[in-house]
Amino acid sequence: MGIKAEYGCSSVAGSCESIVALLGKERVGLIRADIFKIIRNFGIEHFNFHYTGLDGRIRSLKLPFSDMKTAERLLALGERADGSSLFRGLVDASVSDIYIVPRYDSVFLNPFNSKSLDFMCRFVDRDGELSKFTHDGILARTEAQLQNESGCELWAMGELEFYLVYPRPEPYDLYPAQTQGGYHISEPFFKYENVVDEILHIVQQVTGSLKYAHSEVGNIQGLRSQNPVLAGCNAEQYELEFLPRPINEAAEALCLARWLIRAVAARHGLLAVFTPKLDEDAAGSGMHIHMELRRDGVNCMLNPDGSLSREAMKLIGGVVRYAPSISAFGNTQASSFLRLVPNHEAPTKICWSYSNRSSLVRVPLGWTNVGDLGRLVNPQEIMPFENSLTRQTVELRSPDGSANPYLLLAAIATAVKWGVTHDESLEIAERCHVKGNIFADPELASTLDSLPGSCWECAQLLQEKRALYEEDGCFPTFLIDYIIEALKKEDDAELHTYLGSLTGEAKLLATLEVLQRDLHRN
């Protein structure tokens, strides 16, 4: 058995004290003098520079210093890294050097090492300009173009679903959770709420952008697998949902969270898995993206009467138009398309609806046309509450944990930019609006276009629609080529046909091989 765990493991050592509390100021606007104060107050001995590769995984570079002059140099100049290793297949070794420069407003105390002060970094090229080919630079350019052309900012938040895998209790479990019955269930039916509490605390302290955490539908008793690490284990599904942030910050938060979830889980002897689907009969793990447009810092998704605004409808129209090719950025493994199947709250048809989990784009409840709900439930409350902020978002439900959040959000921002700057998007939104469960209405479903059904089909669609992403100069041609080739390497053009030709144990084993082969890729 490759996983060892006990209920109620001890917590991770180290401090996650808030930088904001220490300095008495928000992170935005931090300068080097603020960083020096943190160093002195906490006895910091080294920096840890973080950044992500093409797979979206957090990388780390540890930089010791013994005096403030060295620390200042590192903060001012950053350090070099090998771009051909970080972006293998995209950057040639002959021109591989790239600078990594810390963003001061991303600073956090390392939760696992009290002597380390950590930063997220930006990539800078040899000419001293923000990199044009790395995913953070692509997202930043797309974000800037959207704001310049529309006057709106795009904010986003992710829903990050994952499984915690642990050895099956022996000889029996006193409180087994019901199959597919884990949604918002509590301990003792789900065993590792203590670990999720720790994850919640650390991710919030590092990113400052968590909304909530809860158990999710998926619950697996006795995993079927040929992988000895997984075979016979139990798995319970959880979700972290974030608060809306500017899209570069939203991407950063998702990448940091995946790193922190895995790190905390490993310290408890657990395996954290973000793969799109872990078992044929269990709920898949998505990475849904909520979006909102802001104008002059204010959410502009609703009209005064509570209906969706023109900007919101245009956002929906843009996302719907681009949806098939967005799958090339949001669903990058063959197992992605064993999650996107009818009747599993995972979309297969291109449409949008209100509060409807069978649609691709969902408009969730947004506290519209309701007052102080707390006073409704607690009539003894005498203090009125006036809610002046609009919280309406629009949710894209197709992406999963195989995505690089930076590239996914850059693709979404490209779609939104087109939508809000073209009136044609209103007609698209009107045409693709549905009511009711589309899985229960075959006639309705037959009228709707479908999402791609494989990575191979995604590659073909991206090739056909590549101009949508390249025309404004945000996505380099060679990056689109790289993504197309990576999708083709999944070699899943005939996967559904092949699996459909099998029966019984042979079909099960072939399906599980696809589902479980990329447990750690993203």
Side-chain angles (χ1 to χ4, degrees), residues 301-308 368-369 392:
M301 299 290 284
L302 295 177
N303 294 317
D305 65 359
S307 61
L308 288 177
T368 305
N369 298 326
Q392 187 64 61

Side-chain angles (χ1 to χ4, degrees), residues 160-161 258 274-276 285-287 330 333 399-404 522:
L160 185 58
E161 295 176 338
R258 290 198 297 207
F274 300 92
T275 191
S285 292
M287 191 172 72
Q333 296 175 1
D400 60 50
S402 71
N404 178 322
N522 292 86

Side-chain angles (χ1 to χ4, degrees), residues 87 119 128 176 220 236 336 384 411 440 522:
F87 303 98
F119 301 83
I220 306 171
E236 49 194 43
S336 297
N522 292 86

Side-chain angles (χ1 to χ4, degrees), residues 224-244:
R224 301 168 296 183
S225 181
Q226 293 182 296
N227 183 337
V229 173
L230 298 178
C233 288
N234 288 358
E236 49 194 43
Q237 189 181 34
Y238 292 93
E239 176 186 304
L240 298 188
E241 183 164 317
F242 293 79
L243 292 167

Side-chain angles (χ1 to χ4, degrees), residues 325 328 452 454-466 484 487-488 493:
S325 56
S454 65
C455 290
W456 187 270
E457 191 177 346
C458 283
Q460 292 180 311
L461 281 166
L462 185 57
Q463 178 63 49
E464 294 170 9
K465 302 294 184 182
R466 62 188 300 155
I484 290 171
L487 290 166
K488 287 182 177 179

Side-chain angles (χ1 to χ4, degrees), residues 79-93:
E79 193 43 270
R80 293 176 302 224
D82 177 6
S84 63
S85 293
L86 287 171
F87 303 98
R88 189 174 302 277
L90 192 63
V91 178
D92 189 83

Side-chain angles (χ1 to χ4, degrees), residues 246-379:
I247 52 177
N248 232 305
E249 293 180 28
E252 181 178 280
L254 285 167
C255 291
L256 280 168
R258 290 198 297 207
W259 166 54
L260 293 167
I261 290 167
R262 281 186 169 126
V264 173
R267 282 164 169 76
H268 287 272
L270 306 177
L271 176 65
V273 176
F274 300 92
T275 191
K277 201 166 176 67
L278 188 57
D279 185 89
E280 185 179 34
D281 298 326
S285 292
M287 191 172 72
H288 304 169
I289 301 294
H290 289 252
M291 300 154 276
E292 67 172 82
L293 287 169
R294 296 194 175 199
R295 191 181 296 277
D296 299 324
V298 178
N299 181 301
C300 60
M301 299 290 284
L302 295 177
N303 294 317
D305 65 359
S307 61
L308 288 177
S309 67
R310 181 180 176 88
E311 289 94 339
M313 294 296 289
K314 295 180 83 171
L315 177 152
I316 291 171
V319 171
V320 166
R321 179 184 184 235
Y322 277 66
S325 56
I326 288 176
S327 292
F329 303 92
N331 309 106
T332 68
Q333 296 175 1
S335 59
S336 297
F337 299 94
L338 298 180
R339 166 184 166 259
L340 295 176
V341 294
N343 296 311
H344 282 263
E345 292 193 5
T348 57
K349 295 292 185 177
I350 300 173
C351 59
W352 72 276
S353 188
Y354 292 91
S355 300
N356 185 345
R357 285 176 167 79
S358 70
S359 61
L360 172 66
V361 177
R362 184 177 76 101
V363 181
L365 291 176
W367 287 268
T368 305
N369 298 326
V370 296
D372 186 341
L373 299 179
R375 292 183 73 186
L376 173 67
V377 176
N378 303 278

Side-chain angles (χ1 to χ4, degrees), residues 388-466:
S388 60
L389 298 177
T390 299
R391 298 177 62 180
Q392 187 64 61
T393 62
V394 167
E395 176 191 16
L396 178 64
R397 296 179 56 78
S398 54
D400 60 50
S402 71
N404 178 322
Y406 288 92
L407 293 178
L408 170 62
L409 283 166
I412 291 172
T414 302
V416 172
K417 180 180 66 175
W418 181 88
V420 297
T421 56
H422 290 77
D423 288 342
E424 181 187 345
S425 59
L426 292 171
E427 186 276 328
I428 294 174
E430 181 179 354
R431 186 177 70 244
C432 293
H433 179 225
V434 300
K435 297 180 181 179
N437 187 339
I438 61 174
F439 301 137
D441 189 344
E443 184 176 349
L444 171 61
S446 68
T447 68
L448 301 170
D449 291 335
S450 297
L451 287 173
S454 65
C455 290
W456 187 270
E457 191 177 346
C458 283
Q460 292 180 311
L461 281 166
L462 185 57
Q463 178 63 49
E464 294 170 9
K465 302 294 184 182
R466 62 188 300 155

